[in-house]
Amino acid sequence: SKAPIAIIGTGIAGLSAARTLHDAGQPVHLFDKSRGSGGRMASKRSDAGSLDLGAQYFTARDRRFTDALRQWHAEGWVDQWAPNLYQARDGQLTPSADEQVRWVGKPTMSAITRGLLGDLPVTFSCRITEVFRGEQFWTLVDASGASHGPFSQVVVAVPAPQAAALLPSAPKLAAVAASVAMEPTWAVSLGFATPLSTQLEGCFVQDDALDWVARNRSKPGRDGGLDTWVLHGTSNWSRQHLDLSKEAVIERLHGAFAELIDCVVPAPEFTLAHRWLYARPAQAHEWTALADARLGLYACGDWCLSGRVEGAWLSGQEAARRLLENL
Ligand code: FAD
Ligand code: NAD
């Protein structure tokens, strides 16, 4: 039988590519260092239920993505989220309703990548450290020193700094990936036994520390008894406080939240902090995907486009398209 295509990364970019290749009759095998799929759009299971600590929602502007969304909606993986939106500027909180359609995975963000993964072959808890080509086939080496292969082609679908380390076989691709700066985001979740007495369900903040606040239970199908909130630090604040302890980050963002919101904020029952080191590219790009078709090496991810879920999905589509075109 044919050597499969290796896909490194089971975020939305990797799974976008994987599905298209599989549907075109190509065997694939996915790898991820995490225990499950989703990457930055995974939801985290916690004592306070499942929490969206990374991507909060997504919008769709490209028709191809809108078409995919329609299918995901029919599968029951996604639903619209129409939060009661606010914005905060200079300490002033104001309602900020709009007409934008926003989508979330249902009942958790992970439902989308889990659905796309289906029963495709995948190896989790496997961090790939090396990608090299022999005379005919590719071999991957993982952090424990084990080899995987042979593979006919490789699609690298991880954040740019991590991609750069896997692309030395194609120095041009490695250089492009290495040129992308990615910004961190500190994410904090707070859970309250008594629901906060506010109408607010989502808030765009232009503050020193906070960038975004969301009420988790306002999203469709969320579980958990507590009133859980997700707070995101700005890129700047997160970079400046990269090495702060989780306890201190929780305290600082909890403080900023209490100051921002229009109600009393008691001590939370539940707290959690997560540091996303490579949360978003510092700027958007227009590469769509990177390819060395002669070698059979491809790279995709949100950093090739807009740094959003839609961009990541489109990038995966393009990597798959170019690979199929070169078979
Ligand atoms: P990722 O999701 O990062 O997937 C890469 C995968 O590769 C991961 O699963 C990782 O574990 C794995 N991996 C990495 N290195 C290796 C390795 N060496 N070996 C094996 N596996 C490896 N976008 C929006 O559209 N709307 C939002 O509201 C939004 N909010 C966000 C908030 C935060 C805090 C963050 C962090 C991101 C947010 N985004 C948002 C961006 C969105 O989450 C990303 O654009 C998108 O999920 C990126 O998908 P990806 O597949 O390119 O990368
Ligand atoms: P979107 O159209 O809802 O938001 C884009 C931006 O427009 C917002 O960041 C906000 O500044 C502004 N905005 C939109 N609606 C607003 C309203 N009603 N009131 C006030 N301001 C409003 O969604 P999108 O373009 O799909 O962007 C996705 C979101 O994901 C953005 O908010 C972005 O900041 C966020 N994101 C965060 C990270 C991270 O690492 N923290 C990474 C990628 C994306």
Side-chain angles (χ1 to χ4, degrees), residues 39-85:
R40 280 170 281 159
M41 71 181 307
S43 26
K44 187 180 172 68
R45 274 197 210 96
S46 80
D47 293 342
S50 154
L51 299 165
D52 300 339
L53 292 178
Q56 296 296 295
Y57 65 85
F58 49 94
T59 58
R61 285 152 206 183
D62 189 286
R63 200 187 46 78
R64 288 165 292 176
F65 190 53
T66 315
D67 288 347
L69 258 171
R70 196 170 301 123
Q71 290 172 29
W72 301 352
H73 192 230
E75 297 279 1
W77 303 342
V78 297
D79 216 336
Q80 291 190 15
W81 179 48
N84 201 3
L85 278 177

